Amino acid sequence: MTAAVLDGLRVVELGQVLAGPFAGAIFADLGAEVIKVEKPDGGDDARQMGPAFRHGDALTFHEFNRGKKSVTLDLKSAAGVAALHRLLEGADILLHNLRPGVAETLGIGPEAVTARHPRLIYCAMAAFGHVGPERLRPGYEPLLQAFGGLSSITGEPDGPPVRMGASVVDQGTGMWTVLGALAMLERRHRTGRGGVVNTSLLETAVMWAGQKIDGYVNTGSVPPRHASGHPNLVPYQAFDAADAPILVCCGNDRLFTRFAAELGHAEWPNDPRFATNRARLTHQGELLPMIAAIMREAPRAAWLARLQRIGVPCAPVNAIPEVLAEPQVQAMGMVNQVPGEDFSLVSMPLSFDGERPRMQGGAPRLGADNALVAE
């Protein structure tokens, strides 16, 4: 299978709930052997995060732990830590998102572990970061969306701050961790030594808010919320058609000229208020209501056909069932049945030589692979 690009790599994951397990799931889908170390009493808390879906575990657990092996260890005991070190002797990467300070308390902090296993790449995911006054503070997705500024830039202009619907901070941290681990792996190929990769939910949130932060740092302007709109382009937002919303993106003046003509107002580009994007930004309070009134006159399908015909970027604002019904989404083949199971999950969003990495199997039963650490 050509997409199993990390075949032969061994990853040990001490992951809970989302960020750590998502990093492990990426490695597993890419073909690495991922050994998930869980506490004997109940395992990963995500097993119970929601109704039982399959095998007594919640759907969330299956999503982020497919293709892994499960070993139960009591890391509060000397025997459990010794067993972990036996796993690490043959491992390339260690991932953990343990509560801040716990790894050090257990004697498996980065300094101790990398001193004993100098080729190991040690990846530690924190909530607020590995340095600073809040470094020992725990955190979750909505807390870091709020703390990191993402909630403040999401939602309607006059409405309250809104949490993003996806776990962009948790999953982003897992993704950055994999990126860091692979970069460190490349360095190890040259030097023979591993090292420590630190990531955090806070750093991920600040990076995702980066454009807004850059604007404030360099101009002193606090960014407003724009709902579906854009701070620097007009029109570039959703409008209600007669039956459903449609997003229209006029990314330059040429596209606006085409759009205006299709709306029956070829004169708009000659109006000084609307002739350039900067002018439209200034006068959007006048322009946008006129566009909105016209868009309400026809159904969404008609607008999509008309705007696509003239090359104006647009898209339906799809609900989840509509996303899955889109021929393009179906053609990309992103939702696939889990091998050995009777359900399907979203696959990794990348391909190698035209082939998408396949899930290696379902999520493991708790302790199913304890033989790996048998003395």
Side-chain angles (χ1 to χ4, degrees):
M1 183 187 305
T2 59
V5 293
L6 297 182
D7 184 33
L9 197 73
R10 173 176 274 196
V11 178
V12 175
E13 175 209 306
L14 281 66
Q16 279 275 347
V17 183
L18 215 164
F22 184 59
I26 295 173
F27 278 117
D29 278 7
L30 294 180
E33 178 190 29
V34 180
I35 302 171
K36 183 179 182 71
V37 176
E38 302 185 71
K39 57 183 183 291
D41 182 16
D44 185 343
D45 291 340
R47 289 183 181 271
Q48 306 300 318
M49 287 183 61
F53 175 70
R54 294 291 189 278
H55 318 302
D57 295 319
L59 177 57
T60 294
F61 182 80
H62 288 279
E63 287 180 285
F64 297 110
N65 292 282
R66 73 270 191 115
K68 302 177 186 178
K69 299 175 179 178
S70 173
V71 167
T72 56
L73 294 176
D74 179 6
L75 294 179
K76 296 180 180 179
S77 70
V81 172
L84 175 64
H85 281 296
R86 289 198 297 274
L87 282 178
L88 295 179
E89 286 172 3
D92 299 286
I93 297 168
L94 169 67
L95 306 169
H96 83 71
N97 65 328
L98 299 171
R99 185 183 175 101
V102 168
E104 289 76 8
T105 299
L106 296 174
I108 55 173
E111 293 80 7
V113 170
T114 55
R116 183 164 174 174
H117 307 282
R119 287 179 51 81
L120 184 71
I121 296 162
Y122 185 110
C123 300
M125 290 169 253
F128 286 84
H130 62 290
V131 296
E134 306 284 359
R135 67 188 181 281
L136 296 180
R137 182 177 170 186
Y140 295 93
E141 175 78 28
L143 297 180
L144 272 301
Q145 283 198 25
F147 191 94
L150 290 175
S151 296
S152 76
I153 60 175
T154 306
E156 295 289 337
D158 298 323
V162 174
R163 174 189 173 177
M164 294 184 181
S167 295
V168 294
V169 176
D170 270 322
Q171 290 183 260
T173 301
M175 183 178 67
W176 286 115
T177 300
V178 172
L179 180 62
L182 294 177
M184 190 70 81
L185 188 65
E186 176 60 27
R187 191 185 76 172
R188 193 184 76 178
H189 290 159
R190 299 192 305 270
T191 67
R193 294 187 64 84
V196 179
V197 176
N198 290 109
T199 56
S200 70
L201 305 186
L202 176 59
E203 290 168 280
T204 298
V206 171
M207 168 57 80
W208 294 157
Q211 282 188 295
K212 307 297 185 181
I213 291 172
D214 293 343
Y216 174 73
V217 167
N218 292 290
T219 70
S221 176
V222 176
R225 290 186 290 277
H226 296 277
S228 65
H230 194 282
N232 298 316
L233 294 168
V234 172
Y236 202 96
Q237 65 181 68
F239 296 96
D240 286 327
D243 56 346
I246 176 176
L247 192 78
V248 178
C249 297
C250 293
N252 56 51
D253 294 337
R254 299 180 300 280
L255 290 171
F256 175 69
T257 296
R258 296 182 203 170
F259 180 58
E262 191 65 32
L263 265 58
H265 286 276
E267 77 281 2
W268 279 351
N270 298 317
D271 187 322
R273 299 173 299 168
F274 313 140
T276 67
N277 181 63
R278 288 178 177 173
R280 293 192 295 277
L281 279 169
T282 300
H283 296 281
Q284 59 183 296
E286 301 160 68
L287 177 63
L288 293 177
M290 292 191 289
I291 295 175
I294 297 170
M295 297 293 288
R296 285 193 291 268
E297 295 174 357
R300 180 168 72 183
W303 283 120
L304 288 169
R306 291 170 63 180
L307 297 180
Q308 289 173 3
R309 176 179 53 80
I310 62 173
V312 172
C314 59
V317 181
N318 281 330
I320 296 299
E322 294 171 314
V323 173
L324 296 175
E326 287 283 359
Q328 181 61 31
V329 174
Q330 295 177 0
M332 292 302 292
M334 287 196 65
V335 180
N336 294 286
Q337 184 168 336
V338 180
E341 300 284 4
D342 63 350
F343 60 91
S344 299
L345 297 173
V346 175
S347 297
M348 287 295 154
L350 75 170
S351 297
F352 299 94
D353 299 325
E355 182 180 352
R356 187 177 306 285
R358 302 174 189 172
M359 290 172 273
Q360 303 300 303
R365 313 297 192 274
L366 182 63
D369 303 284
N370 280 354
L372 290 170
V373 291
E375 294 191 56

